Amino acid sequence: MKKNKFLTKCFFFYVIILFNNIYAQNKLFKYDLEYKSNQKKDSIILKKMVLDIKDVSISIFRTEQQKISDSLIAFTGLGSERDMTFESQFYVKKDMSKDEILKSIETIFREIFFIKIDEKFDWEILPEKNKIVNFNVQKAKINYGGRSWTAWFTTEIPIQDGPYVFKGLPGLIVKISDDKGNYNFNLTEIKNGNDKVYYRNKGLDLTWDQYKKLLENYYTDPFARIKSMGIPVKKDDGHGGMVSVDMKQESDGLRKMIRENNNPIELNHKIDYK
């Protein structure tokens, strides 16, 4: 895992001053997510993530592109960036007033689903302290999703939140990683947020069992709906023309990609694709 990336000490000193007026406006925290989509390989995927804090009680964690897409949808009805697989989606909404955490996924047809996270966040706060850039941080541990996690949080930022589903420590989570080195979240930047925060707020609720069934059906025939519509599918031939898509070849390729990138963050809900 490559070295953590943080801003300069001068920047973070400025950030601490900003937090003297923390409740006056929305905040935005940027994180680097480095993870292994295949735990048997050394290759690392880097995703630029953002945590929007809206009106103190609502937070949205997603990629930078998903944040842009949510804004486009709000204004035009059209968004961007759709993942072809579900295991690589990390969109989470937290409502602190309801003590509710929702993991959201989106299909290639822009269907939105929400899964309620019911696991208890029983943190073990340890006496060990450290300094990340010029934040004083303290160590904590937790088990979530079939993984053991170590976090470093700072009470200098009085927000009991963090990346992805993680929350409930007496300060912002600056860094959190699992003990196998498969997932690593690092805070990289803090900014004042926009007055308006656009995010997914409509969709169908799923249980984990229903989510599993959705993924299994998708793996069995990824383009079933497209084929059922009888619409001819074409793609760029690389020379300015269009050629028909071999749907069997495309499906086989996607199933192979799903099998080879099957290291979900919720390891306890992993599907053994054949």
Side-chain angles (χ1 to χ4, degrees), residues 18 33 46 59-60 75 88 115 120 133 149 156 158 161 164 172 179 194 196 203 241 246-247 261:
L18 281 178
L33 165 58
L46 170 64
S59 72
I60 312 296
F75 286 102
S88 59
I115 304 168
K120 299 298 181 183
V133 185
W149 299 85
E156 294 169 1
D161 207 343
Y164 198 52
L172 185 76
D179 63 346
N194 296 326
K196 295 286 187 179
D246 184 331
M247 296 304 288
N261 296 275

Side-chain angles (χ1 to χ4, degrees), residues 121-130 136-143 149-155 159-161 167-173 176:
F121 285 79
D122 295 323
W123 291 97
E124 178 188 3
I125 298 179
L126 303 172
E128 185 176 348
K129 297 184 178 180
N130 209 328
N136 292 306
V137 295
Q138 188 167 352
K139 191 175 185 179
K141 289 191 173 184
I142 198 170
N143 292 321
W149 299 85
T150 297
W152 293 92
F153 68 94
T154 178
T155 57
I159 291 179
Q160 297 184 8
D161 207 343
K167 69 176 185 67
L169 285 167
L172 185 76
I173 296 172
I176 185 167

Side-chain angles (χ1 to χ4, degrees), residues 131-269:
K131 207 172 185 69
I132 296 180
V133 185
N134 69 331
F135 281 136
N136 292 306
V137 295
Q138 188 167 352
K139 191 175 185 179
K141 289 191 173 184
I142 198 170
N143 292 321
Y144 169 75
R147 299 180 187 272
S148 297
W149 299 85
T150 297
W152 293 92
F153 68 94
T154 178
T155 57
E156 294 169 1
I157 302 178
I159 291 179
Q160 297 184 8
D161 207 343
Y164 198 52
V165 300
F166 301 106
K167 69 176 185 67
L169 285 167
L172 185 76
I173 296 172
V174 174
K175 173 182 173 64
I176 185 167
S177 55
D178 75 304
D179 63 346
K180 303 298 182 184
N182 284 270
Y183 284 86
N184 187 21
F185 297 89
N186 287 291
L187 179 67
T188 60
E189 188 176 350
I190 303 172
K191 299 172 63 177
N192 288 328
N194 296 326
D195 291 337
K196 295 286 187 179
V197 180
Y198 301 98
Y199 55 91
R200 300 174 188 171
N201 53 19
K202 293 182 180 180
L204 298 176
D205 294 333
L206 289 182
T207 65
W208 279 112
D209 286 342
Q210 291 169 331
Y211 171 75
K212 179 181 179 182
K213 187 64 176 176
L214 177 68
L215 268 61
E216 288 174 337
N217 289 341
Y218 181 63
Y219 177 77
T220 299
D221 193 349
F223 303 108
R225 183 182 297 188
I226 294 176
K227 289 187 289 187
S228 70
M229 294 176 181
I231 302 173
V233 180
K234 296 182 179 294
K235 65 179 179 180
D236 192 334
D237 65 0
H239 303 286
M242 302 297 289
V243 295
S244 296
V245 172
D246 184 331
M247 296 304 288
K248 182 181 184 306
Q249 182 178 350
E250 293 292 325
S251 295
D252 289 344
L254 184 51
R255 280 194 290 267
K256 181 181 178 182
M257 182 176 71
I258 291 171
R259 288 194 304 272
E260 293 180 352
N261 296 275
N262 188 22
N263 186 27
I265 191 167
E266 281 90 7
L267 195 58
N268 55 334
H269 293 293

Side-chain angles (χ1 to χ4, degrees), residues 29-44:
F29 303 89
K30 292 189 176 184
Y31 288 85
D32 276 355
L33 165 58
E34 296 175 318
Y35 72 99
K36 294 181 181 179
S37 63
N38 186 329
Q39 57 184 328
K40 295 180 180 178
K41 296 182 179 180
D42 293 330
S43 57
I44 299 293

